[in-house]
Amino acid sequence: MVRRPLTNPRKEASQERSRATVDALVEATARILVSEGFDKASTNRIAEVAGVSVGSLYQYFPSKEALVAAVSERHRQEIMRLVRGELAKVASQPIEQGVRTLVAVAIKSHRIDPKLHRVLAEQIPRVGRLEKVETFNGGNYDLFRTYLEEHRDELCVDSLELAAFVCVTSIEALTHTAVLHRPKMLCGETAEALIDDATRLVVGYLKGCELR
Amino acid sequence: MVRRPLTNPRKEASQERSRATVDALVEATARILVSEGFDKASTNRIAEVAGVSVGSLYQYFPSKEALVAAVSERHRQEIMRLVRGELAKVASQPIEQGVRTLVAVAIKSHRIDPKLHRVLAEQIPRVGRLEKVETFNGGNYDLFRTYLEEHRDELCVDSLELAAFVCVTSIEALTHTAVLHRPKMLCGETAEALIDDATRLVVGYLKGCELR
DNA sequence: ATTAAAAGCGAGCAATCGCTCACATTATAG
DNA sequence: CTATAATGTGAGCGATTGCTCGCTTTTAAT
């Protein structure tokens, strides 16, 4: 059996020209996802918008899924960069203030590219290699867990593992749902009310021992 | 301009035979969604599995979307029926016990048909007439809000509206994520720990005044 | 028995999709 | 300059999709 010479191999971009092509493709995919939706993001259309040929597209991305995954990954990393930075700042602050900052940054992270965030959350079928796109929190659990460990003495919970899950999941859900489905909730003083309550929810849980 | 005689009109099933056809179609759609995924759920395949012809399918459902929407709606109503029933039982119980029961029922509701629930949550592109599928909580906010109103004196929150949002969103996210992405968390005593913590999270928020 | 409406059928059309491949162009090395 | 690799091209294939329409069968009413 003979290996086909050089047909399939999806290459890694090495020269500068090809790097630009790859960037254009990812960027075009993101733009189409936002402006036309997932259905309309066909490989032909992506290539057209990117200003390259379909052939070139398939030199760097083995499938349409791979392109969407690249867009999703880029977005996830932007969010992680923001969260990581903010978490470093509040590392030494007490729980009360730290959590409040994190709630604020959670909202902020949903505003990096809200339209893309929405499409990624609502229109992408999590299947095949898109299965692990899941939530954008993968690494956030560990980050927050580490933060909690450094404040162990302030806390009143049995398991930091479980606590991190409860806090991150709740904050993510509250901010995600608010931004996507309750836009009014983030206008004017209502936004403050949400941040207040979300903070109280989480801090009360982390510090309150009186119950059980 | 002449109206086409009887071509498009997607009819409401009136005779008994056609009712069976409609049921078979919805059931087939659900089965395919679960066993083969959204992509494979083509109208031709749905009709084949249902044991009817594509023509019959289009007599009752104007599009593939409509079929998926019907499946989603059926699932949503099953959940609502469960929640509504349980909420009636705890209506007169104190917050502490009521919330605990509701957390339990939230988990239970995710187990009505977990595989279908997962497909509906992860693979269905929320677009067109599927846009309002959203979460399965639409009516739950109001239900829970009513419950809170009847226990106003036990609570320590500014806005019941906001409180209902915070509680329902958190409980839904915690149970949803646990069932779908943390199956181990619901085995043995870990399940109790999650229920304990989720309850403490919500109750502490609803009753705790000491903070701010 | 006659008739008309209701329900069911399925071959097949038009459109689209993801993707390939034979070829052209551009860059790099000797 | 020449050779070779890297990069880019786009017509178009094969498969699939959502859906239509002319037709048959079943049911209910007269």
Side-chain angles (χ1 to χ4, degrees):
Chain A
M1 186 189 284
V2 189
R3 280 260 135 264
R4 306 258 257 17
L6 244 292
T7 319
N8 336 334
R10 307 302 137 73
K11 313 227 345 197
E12 193 83 5
S14 61
Q15 295 189 9
E16 189 168 352
R17 183 167 55 130
S18 55
R19 274 266 245 278
T21 301
V22 170
D23 277 358
L25 284 167
V26 176
E27 182 57 33
T29 305
R31 282 232 306 279
I32 297 175
L33 284 179
V34 167
S35 62
E36 308 180 42
F38 179 78
D39 310 328
K40 300 294 172 60
S42 69
T43 49
N44 284 322
R45 180 109 184 83
I46 291 172
E48 177 191 329
V49 170
V52 305
S53 73
V54 238
S56 294
L57 185 155
Y58 280 96
Q59 278 198 356
Y60 304 105
F61 297 94
S63 67
K64 171 187 169 178
E65 281 182 325
L67 270 162
V68 176
V71 170
S72 176
E73 180 58 20
R74 202 177 66 170
H75 183 64
R76 197 187 63 84
Q77 283 189 10
E78 277 189 69
I79 289 179
M80 284 290 285
R81 212 169 47 82
L82 190 75
V83 173
R84 208 186 297 270
E86 211 75 10
L87 240 170
K89 280 195 222 163
V90 303
S92 57
Q93 292 176 2
I95 288 288
E96 180 109 41
Q97 200 169 347
V99 169
R100 172 169 288 267
T101 307
L102 288 178
V103 171
V105 81
I107 294 178
K108 207 165 149 193
S109 78
H110 281 281
R111 287 180 156 162
I112 291 178
D113 193 341
K115 289 179 185 177
L116 180 62
H117 197 85
R118 170 173 235 124
V119 173
L120 255 21
E122 297 184 342
Q123 294 188 32
I124 309 299
R126 260 65 59 87
V127 125
R129 50 190 90 205
L130 252 22
E131 227 165 338
K132 55 179 180 173
V133 169
E134 299 294 348
T135 65
F136 306 97
N137 302 311
N140 288 20
Y141 288 104
D142 298 328
L143 248 41
F144 189 70
R145 211 200 118 121
T146 306
Y147 171 72
L148 289 184
E149 267 162 12
E150 287 166 10
H151 294 260
R152 192 63 178 102
D153 52 322
E154 297 179 60
L155 307 180
C156 181
V157 288
D158 286 342
S159 159
L160 287 189
E161 187 73 25
L162 179 57
F165 171 78
V166 169
C167 294
V168 173
T169 302
S170 298
I171 292 176
E172 155 66 20
L174 288 173
T175 54
H176 177 88
T177 310
V179 172
L180 263 65
H181 307 305
R182 298 277 199 286
K184 297 172 196 163
M185 201 174 258
L186 295 172
C187 297
E189 59 241 30
T190 7
E192 291 302 320
L194 175 65
I195 297 181
D196 281 350
D197 276 32
T199 304
R200 201 158 61 74
L201 177 81
V202 171
V203 172
Y205 161 75
L206 287 173
K207 303 187 73 166
C209 312
E210 73 284 354
L211 298 155
R212 176 165 293 265
Chain B
M1 186 189 285
V2 188
R3 281 261 133 262
R4 306 259 259 14
L6 244 292
T7 319
N8 335 334
R10 307 299 136 76
K11 315 227 342 202
E12 193 82 10
S14 61
Q15 295 189 7
E16 190 169 349
R17 184 167 54 129
S18 55
R19 275 266 245 283
T21 301
V22 170
D23 277 358
L25 283 167
V26 176
E27 182 57 32
T29 306
R31 281 232 306 278
I32 296 175
L33 284 179
V34 167
S35 63
E36 307 181 40
F38 180 78
D39 310 328
K40 300 294 173 62
S42 69
T43 50
N44 284 322
R45 180 108 183 83
I46 291 172
E48 176 191 329
V49 170
V52 305
S53 73
V54 239
S56 295
L57 186 156
Y58 280 97
Q59 277 197 0
Y60 305 104
F61 298 94
S63 67
K64 170 185 168 177
E65 281 182 326
L67 271 163
V68 176
V71 170
S72 176
E73 180 59 20
R74 201 177 66 168
H75 182 66
R76 196 187 64 85
Q77 283 189 8
E78 278 191 69
I79 289 179
M80 284 289 285
R81 209 168 50 83
L82 190 75
V83 173
R84 207 186 297 271
E86 212 75 12
L87 240 169
K89 280 194 222 164
V90 303
S92 57
Q93 293 176 3
I95 289 288
E96 180 109 42
Q97 198 169 347
V99 169
R100 172 170 288 268
T101 307
L102 288 178
V103 171
V105 81
I107 293 178
K108 206 164 148 194
S109 79
H110 280 282
R111 287 180 155 164
I112 291 178
D113 193 341
K115 290 179 184 175
L116 179 62
H117 196 85
R118 170 175 234 123
V119 172
L120 256 20
E122 298 184 341
Q123 293 188 32
I124 309 299
R126 260 65 59 86
V127 124
R129 50 191 90 204
L130 253 20
E131 226 164 341
K132 55 179 177 173
V133 171
E134 299 295 349
T135 64
F136 306 97
N137 303 312
N140 289 19
Y141 288 105
D142 298 327
L143 249 40
F144 190 71
R145 210 201 119 123
T146 305
Y147 172 72
L148 288 184
E149 266 161 13
E150 287 166 10
H151 294 260
R152 191 65 177 102
D153 52 322
E154 298 178 60
L155 308 180
C156 182
V157 288
D158 287 342
S159 160
L160 288 189
E161 186 75 24
L162 180 57
F165 171 78
V166 169
C167 295
V168 173
T169 303
S170 298
I171 293 176
E172 155 67 19
L174 288 173
T175 55
H176 178 87
T177 310
V179 172
L180 262 66
H181 307 304
R182 298 277 199 285
K184 297 172 198 164
M185 201 173 259
L186 295 173
C187 298
E189 58 242 29
T190 8
E192 290 302 317
L194 175 65
I195 298 181
D196 282 350
D197 276 32
T199 304
R200 203 157 61 73
L201 176 82
V202 172
V203 173
Y205 161 75
L206 287 173
K207 303 186 74 167
C209 311
E210 74 283 358
L211 298 154
R212 177 164 291 264

